[in-house]
Amino acid sequence: AQRVTQPEKLLSVFKGAPVELKCNYSYSGSPELFWYVQYSRQRLQLLLRHISRESIKGFTADLNKGETSFHLKKPFAQEEDSAMYYCALGRQGGSEKLVFGKGTKLTVNP
Amino acid sequence: NAGVTQTPKFQVLKTGQSMTLQCAQDMNHEYMSWYRQDPGMGLRLIHYSVGAGITDQGEVPNGYNVSRSTTEDFPLRLLSAAPSQTSVYFCASSRDRGNEQFFGPGTRLTVL
């Protein structure tokens, strides 16, 4: 069974501090991992996916198959990063459905 | 393109009432999904569709029906609303397998 765990419901950091949002997954096949973000009063949108290896808005995430993790990191948090972040798991090569974690609410304080 | 649209934005129902949440996309996406978002529970998949005429159950399908008669539309029906169905409902679509899901703005449903 596919499962995504985001251990922190809430995460609060100060502006300029590093931030790491944790995501661990359980899946017997080849995974494809995503981070989605929901800013206040906006719809969910894709932030990044592991296969693209991009850095979006200063965020990066590396898939660690040994630790079954896909943590989201940013070296210097900004106030506009405050949002709800969801880690999602699919099947490599594509899948009709994603399994989402319960989400982490990030607050970046001035 | 309007992207993924959902109506209504807000709805209040009484227990036992029925209603349909509408979802439409104008991107010619094959894949469409319905999720519910609850505090502390994240997003949970209700039903999904891989193309017109094809639907399947997700993680929490009980109490909900769907149909996909066209590529554009994917309505979600509550036949007899229950307070446990109070939630925010999101519709999403994607071009094909493995691609980015595009979400609608959500429908906030309250069942009294």
Side-chain angles (χ1 to χ4, degrees):
Chain A
Q2 295 170 245
R3 191 166 62 246
V4 176
T5 303
Q6 292 181 249
E8 304 132 332
K9 282 187 180 179
L10 304 170
L11 185 61
S12 183
V13 300
F14 286 102
K15 176 182 173 182
V19 63
E20 181 180 50
L21 291 88
K22 290 183 167 53
C23 172
N24 288 91
Y25 67 92
S26 173
Y27 183 51
S28 57
S30 296
E32 184 160 354
L33 277 298
F34 306 81
W35 276 100
Y36 280 81
V37 61
Q38 186 178 26
Y39 301 103
S40 179
R41 294 189 174 82
Q42 293 186 30
R43 60 185 74 189
L44 274 108
Q45 57 187 286
L46 179 67
L47 180 62
L48 53 80
R49 55 197 300 180
H50 89 268
I51 61 169
S52 61
R53 296 181 173 275
E54 292 175 305
S55 173
I56 305 294
K57 298 185 179 182
F59 284 97
T60 58
D62 291 317
L63 178 61
N64 186 324
K65 291 187 178 180
E67 296 183 357
T68 59
S69 68
F70 188 57
H71 303 328
L72 184 68
K73 300 176 184 178
K74 184 169 183 176
F76 308 103
Q78 303 300 314
E79 288 179 68
E80 55 265 30
D81 296 328
S82 296
M84 194 75 180
Y85 291 81
Y86 291 96
C87 183
L89 167 69
R91 185 177 65 232
Q92 198 174 81
S95 56
E96 299 87 359
K97 49 185 179 177
L98 297 179
V99 174
F100 284 81
K102 294 183 179 181
T104 297
K105 184 174 182 180
L106 173 66
T107 301
V108 181
N109 300 299
Chain B
N1 285 353
V4 180
T5 58
Q6 290 182 239
T7 57
K9 287 187 179 179
F10 304 94
Q11 183 71 49
V12 179
L13 292 177
K14 293 181 179 177
T15 297
Q17 285 185 313
S18 62
M19 82 158 295
T20 299
L21 306 186
Q22 301 292 345
C23 173
Q25 52 91 9
D26 60 0
M27 298 175 282
N28 202 31
H29 285 174
E30 289 296 320
Y31 290 79
M32 297 186 75
S33 306
W34 275 103
Y35 296 88
R36 57 178 291 173
Q37 183 185 44
D38 301 292
M41 300 297 292
L43 282 148
R44 291 181 292 171
L45 182 65
I46 304 171
H47 284 286
Y48 66 99
S49 169
V50 301
I54 307 169
T55 64
D56 206 346
Q57 296 181 349
E59 180 185 356
V60 288
N62 292 341
Y64 307 95
N65 281 350
V66 292
S67 60
R68 185 96 180 270
S69 57
T70 67
T71 300
E72 295 77 19
D73 300 299
F74 191 42
L76 178 73
R77 280 183 285 278
L78 285 73
L79 297 178
S80 180
S84 60
Q85 294 178 304
T86 293
S87 187
V88 180
Y89 291 85
F90 288 99
C91 179
S93 73
S94 61
R95 180 166 51 85
D96 52 32
R97 286 177 147 200
N99 274 282
E100 174 183 357
Q101 291 206 13
F102 291 84
F103 283 83
T107 294
R108 187 174 294 273
L109 176 67
T110 301
V111 183
L112 302 175

